[in-house]
């Protein structure tokens, strides 16, 4: 490798590509990785649904797919951030 040949604007550099390949190796090595993610997603959505049942005046909807999940607030989000714990 020579100086300047290790990357480009639209291409991955060798370190980033090696890291991505290592992550994919772990993800595809054992099927339980994806099954576990699906179970955790379902569990999280169920728990959030129970929060909505108890606090429907604050939060009203769970959105998302897999573990990329969001909660729609009824009140302004700043009120949630600044609320005492």
């Amino acid at each position: 490798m020579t100086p300047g040949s290790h990357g480009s604007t639209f291409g991955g550099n060798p370190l980033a590509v090696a890291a991505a390949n290592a992550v994919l190796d772990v993800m595809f090595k054992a099927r339980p990785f994806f099954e576990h993610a699906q179970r955790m997603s379902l569990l999280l959505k169920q728990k959030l649904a129970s929060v909505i049942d108890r606090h429907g005046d604050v939060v009203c909807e769970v959105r998302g797919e897999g573990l990329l999940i969001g909660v729609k607030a009824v009140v302004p989000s700043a009120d949630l951030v600044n609320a005492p714990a």
Side-chain angles (χ1 to χ4, degrees):
M1 219 182 302
T2 60
S5 67
H6 61 282
S8 71
T9 302
F10 299 106
N13 66 51
L15 178 60
V17 172
N21 278 332
V23 169
L24 291 173
D25 287 345
V26 170
M27 291 173 67
F28 290 117
K29 186 176 192 176
R31 228 37 203 144
F33 178 89
F34 292 104
E35 293 165 4
H36 179 69
Q38 286 177 324
R39 285 193 309 271
M40 293 298 102
S41 171
L42 179 60
L43 178 63
L44 180 56
K45 286 179 181 179
Q46 290 171 342
K47 297 289 184 179
L48 289 171
S50 72
V51 170
I52 289 172
D53 290 343
R54 292 189 319 263
H55 303 286
D57 56 328
V58 178
V59 289
C60 65
E61 183 181 358
V62 176
R63 299 177 181 176
E65 193 64 38
L67 288 170
L68 183 62
I69 298 174
V71 178
K72 182 177 179 184
V74 176
V75 299
S77 57
D79 292 352
L80 291 176
V81 171
N82 296 325

